[in-house]
Amino acid sequence: MEKTETIALAATNRSSARTWRTIRRYSVLFLMMAPGILYLLINNYLPMLGIIIAFKDVNFAKGILHSDWVGFKNFEFLFKTTDAYIITRNTLLYNIAFIICNLIAALTLAILLNELRNRFLSRFYQSVVLLPYLISTVIIGYLVFALLSGDSGMMNKQILPMLGLKEVNWYSETKYWPLILVFVSIWKGAGHLCVIFLAAIVGIDKEYYEAATVDGASRWQQIKGITIPLVTPVITIMTLLAVGRIFYSDFGLFYQVPLDAGALNPVTNTIDTYVYRALLTLGDIGMSSAAGVYQSVVGFILVLLSNYIVRKINSENALF
């Protein structure tokens, strides 16, 4: 028995010694990692303690920790409201449309940019397609207003008269806004995805294309048989990450771009904008926190489910 304990102790000591040797050997690298890890802990993990706000009736006089527990009462705010169906429907359907349309547009742009042989033009167009992603949504809202304004907008004063069509009061007609929001989302977000996909395409070994050319494959056949299959893992990862935020919405897109027009609420009101308006009216941060927890939990479940399906189809393309 004593011999067994001695052997186990010796093994533990050897393991501990190897660990310390590894730490000393890579101490400089660990030191370089420290600021990033510290930032991650402070910015991403420490705020997670605020999840308790979703289950409390926050009273600032008592403080967050000493406020009364209300359980799931704050969550009733989302599920018992008469607008629950509308905001959930809008959030889901818009995000599904954004994921599909942005993916197709970004992949198409990336393939087209990869076909450019002039390096200057390639970099120029990459900058052009990425620029909208870097613009504030507030500015985008006013750019859209400059286009759709009833008094001085380009659509009403120049484009529609040129086509022989009547002026449209864009900020009171709900039927146009699903298409407008999808278009603005593509214009703003496709460039970011395009750069990611282009980096993946550039990394493909040129010998595949050379062999396909020797075999007589057309450019479209090379794209369909080489480019898209080899970029599929990146497409899958970006799609899974987008699915994780399917219950979130781009607040600026749905609030600032329609300029908070009340007439457009049936087609622009999402979970985020609804919670924001309710927070302005009621000032109850417990309800808004409950909405954030609900969105995070549902998004996490959807990522796990989507990743499970991808793993069943092709384990190499799974996120984890």
Side-chain angles (χ1 to χ4, degrees):
M1 188 70 174
E2 292 180 359
K3 185 177 180 180
T4 303
E5 292 177 354
T6 302
I7 294 173
L9 182 60
T12 302
N13 290 336
R14 286 196 298 270
S15 177
S16 178
R18 283 197 299 269
T19 302
W20 281 110
R21 282 198 301 270
T22 302
I23 292 174
R24 285 195 297 270
R25 182 178 179 183
Y26 298 107
S27 58
V28 176
L29 296 179
F30 289 135
L31 188 62
M32 293 172 64
M33 288 169 56
I37 294 174
L38 185 63
Y39 171 81
L40 190 67
L41 290 173
I42 295 174
N43 189 69
N44 292 63
Y45 287 93
L46 191 60
M48 290 176 67
L49 298 175
I51 195 173
I52 63 173
I53 297 175
F55 304 95
K56 288 197 169 194
D57 181 13
V58 178
N59 185 333
F60 292 104
K62 297 179 180 179
I64 293 175
L65 295 178
H66 296 95
S67 296
D68 298 330
W69 285 93
V70 293
F72 290 95
K73 186 178 179 181
N74 286 329
F75 292 84
E76 296 176 2
F77 161 72
L78 279 177
F79 299 107
K80 287 191 174 181
T81 175
T82 55
D83 297 323
Y85 168 74
I86 293 175
I87 62 177
T88 303
R89 177 203 65 187
N90 289 347
T91 304
L92 278 175
L93 293 183
Y94 274 122
N95 278 326
I96 291 171
F98 293 163
I99 291 171
I100 295 173
C101 294
N102 285 353
L103 176 66
I104 294 173
L107 188 59
T108 303
L109 281 172
I111 291 172
L112 291 175
L113 287 175
N114 186 57
E115 296 299 312
L116 284 175
R117 294 294 172 258
N118 187 308
R119 294 182 63 183
F120 172 78
L121 285 178
S122 178
R123 292 177 180 177
F124 172 75
Y125 288 129
Q126 287 178 51
S127 301
V128 169
V129 298
L130 185 61
L131 184 61
Y133 180 76
L134 304 175
I135 298 177
S136 167
T137 312
V138 176
I139 297 175
I140 292 176
Y142 283 106
L143 289 175
V144 174
F145 180 72
L147 182 67
L148 303 180
S149 172
D151 297 328
S152 58
M154 186 181 296
M155 287 294 294
N156 280 348
K157 299 305 177 184
Q158 296 181 22
I159 298 177
L160 293 182
M162 186 172 59
L163 298 174
L165 300 175
K166 295 181 179 179
E167 294 185 0
V168 176
N169 191 355
W170 298 98
Y171 288 92
S172 63
E173 295 284 348
T174 58
K175 60 183 179 181
Y176 301 109
W177 279 89
L179 291 176
I180 292 172
L181 291 174
V182 170
F183 175 80
V184 173
S185 175
I186 294 172
W187 178 73
K188 178 174 172 57
H192 177 243
L193 273 179
C194 169
V195 172
I196 296 173
F197 292 154
L198 181 60
I201 293 173
V202 170
I204 297 174
D205 194 337
K206 302 300 181 186
E207 291 184 359
Y208 291 119
Y209 296 104
E210 293 172 0
T213 302
V214 171
D215 290 339
S218 65
R219 201 60 188 164
W220 167 245
Q221 289 173 327
Q222 292 177 32
I223 292 171
K224 187 173 66 173
I226 299 173
T227 305
I228 294 178
L230 292 180
V231 179
T232 297
V234 179
I235 295 174
T236 304
I237 290 173
M238 300 308 297
T239 303
L240 288 176
L241 292 176
V243 167
R245 297 190 60 82
I246 201 168
F247 263 76
Y248 289 84
S249 59
D250 186 336
F251 179 81
L253 178 64
F254 289 97
Y255 187 84
Q256 188 63 44
V257 173
L259 299 181
D260 193 24
L264 302 177
N265 278 352
V267 294
T268 61
N269 207 9
T270 61
I271 295 175
D272 293 87
T273 57
Y274 183 82
V275 170
Y276 175 74
R277 292 186 181 104
L279 184 60
L280 287 180
T281 305
L282 303 175
D284 193 332
I285 65 171
M287 292 179 180
S288 60
S289 298
V293 171
Y294 165 67
Q295 290 171 305
S296 298
V297 170
V298 173
F300 179 67
I301 293 172
L302 287 175
V303 167
L304 292 179
L305 181 62
S306 303
N307 189 75
Y308 174 78
I309 294 172
V310 171
R311 183 178 290 277
K312 286 294 182 181
I313 298 173
N314 187 344
S315 60
E316 293 183 359
N317 292 338
L319 186 60
F320 50 86

